[in-house]
Amino acid sequence: MELSSRQADFDALARQQIPGYSSLARLSVSLLAGYPSLQPSGSQVLVVGCGTGAELREAQGLRPDWALTGVDPAASLLDEARRRLGTAAKQVRWVDSRVEDLPGEASYGAAIAVLVLQELPDDGAKLAFLSALARLLQPGAPLVLVDVLAGFGGMASGTTQQFQAALKRFQGDANAQAVTPEAPLHLIGEARRSALLAAAGFSDPLRFYQALQVEGVVVQKRP
């Protein structure tokens, strides 16, 4: 799967390429809403790479008592998220920045990062991103992480080719050609993701969502 979370038509493209994408933001927020540590009113929740604000809108609907921070280095996407939230945008703290540049330690009770890690090269940037999240989260705080993963689970080569062709047809391309992203994704497999999470200070990942090559996991910052 090829997907760029910095395209102007991100939402439409993601709905086309990821089964169940329209429910993913609600599912991610619903998962966090049940954590005992996030029950107190005013709990600080960080939405990283908030894009056009899907997770922020769901959080405001399910837990309007949370104190939300939306972070994205693309100012144009923050502007679009504010527009979509309307008057509710005033209740969100907006930060035009990379998460690695945010100050503070143990400031947040939870974080969500949907389709963000896949955009960072595995040259130290992925680990720096996850380490920054670990620094910002309180001990035991959950992190929801959703990304496209590399590989097809050990399929035989012929089956892999058939799957790739079917995937492209599902994504709506009559010529069976994948959508070309603005920039290449930096995909890793499950084992590498687990190793990076452990190095950054998180628990083993628990899968809660999977659609084609897209997988959602929840981890917790180790004490």
Side-chain angles (χ1 to χ4, degrees), residues 89-106:
K90 297 179 181 179
Q91 301 169 19
V92 177
R93 175 180 172 241
W94 302 96
V95 183
D96 178 1
S97 171
R98 302 184 314 148
V99 70
E100 295 91 328
D101 298 327
L102 292 181
E105 294 183 7

Side-chain angles (χ1 to χ4, degrees), residues 57-186:
R57 293 196 300 276
E58 291 295 345
Q60 287 188 328
L62 288 174
R63 290 296 303 269
D65 57 304
W66 281 351
L68 299 170
T69 297
V71 179
D72 202 296
S76 61
L77 288 179
L78 290 181
D79 290 341
E80 177 62 16
R82 291 188 187 95
R83 186 190 69 78
R84 294 191 183 193
L85 265 66
T87 57
K90 297 179 181 179
Q91 301 169 19
V92 177
R93 175 180 172 241
W94 302 96
V95 183
D96 178 1
S97 171
R98 302 184 314 148
V99 70
E100 295 91 328
D101 298 327
L102 292 181
E105 294 183 7
S107 304
Y108 297 92
I112 300 175
V114 176
L115 305 179
V116 179
L117 186 66
Q118 64 190 35
E119 296 192 357
L120 304 173
D122 194 13
D123 58 0
K126 289 185 187 294
L127 180 57
F129 172 78
L130 293 172
S131 296
L133 286 173
R135 169 177 56 82
L136 292 165
L137 288 171
Q138 299 163 1
L143 163 65
V144 168
L145 198 64
V146 181
D147 287 288
V148 181
L149 293 185
F152 288 88
M155 289 184 182
S157 59
T159 304
T160 297
Q161 292 174 358
Q162 290 179 338
F163 184 85
Q164 286 279 20
L167 173 58
K168 293 170 185 177
R169 286 192 292 271
F170 168 80
Q171 292 169 349
D173 190 336
N175 297 318
Q177 296 295 321
V179 176
T180 301
E182 290 180 351
L185 301 183
H186 303 277

Side-chain angles (χ1 to χ4, degrees), residues 14-78:
R15 283 194 298 270
Q16 177 184 349
Q17 295 197 336
I18 302 175
Y21 174 77
S22 297
S23 301
L24 183 53
R26 185 172 184 83
L27 178 59
S28 299
V29 173
S30 297
L31 181 64
L32 292 183
Y35 273 79
S37 60
L38 294 173
Q39 296 312 307
S41 180
S43 294
Q44 298 280 342
V45 176
L46 179 67
V47 180
V48 183
C50 63
T52 56
E55 292 81 29
L56 292 168
R57 293 196 300 276
E58 291 295 345
Q60 287 188 328
L62 288 174
R63 290 296 303 269
D65 57 304
W66 281 351
L68 299 170
T69 297
V71 179
D72 202 296
S76 61
L77 288 179
L78 290 181

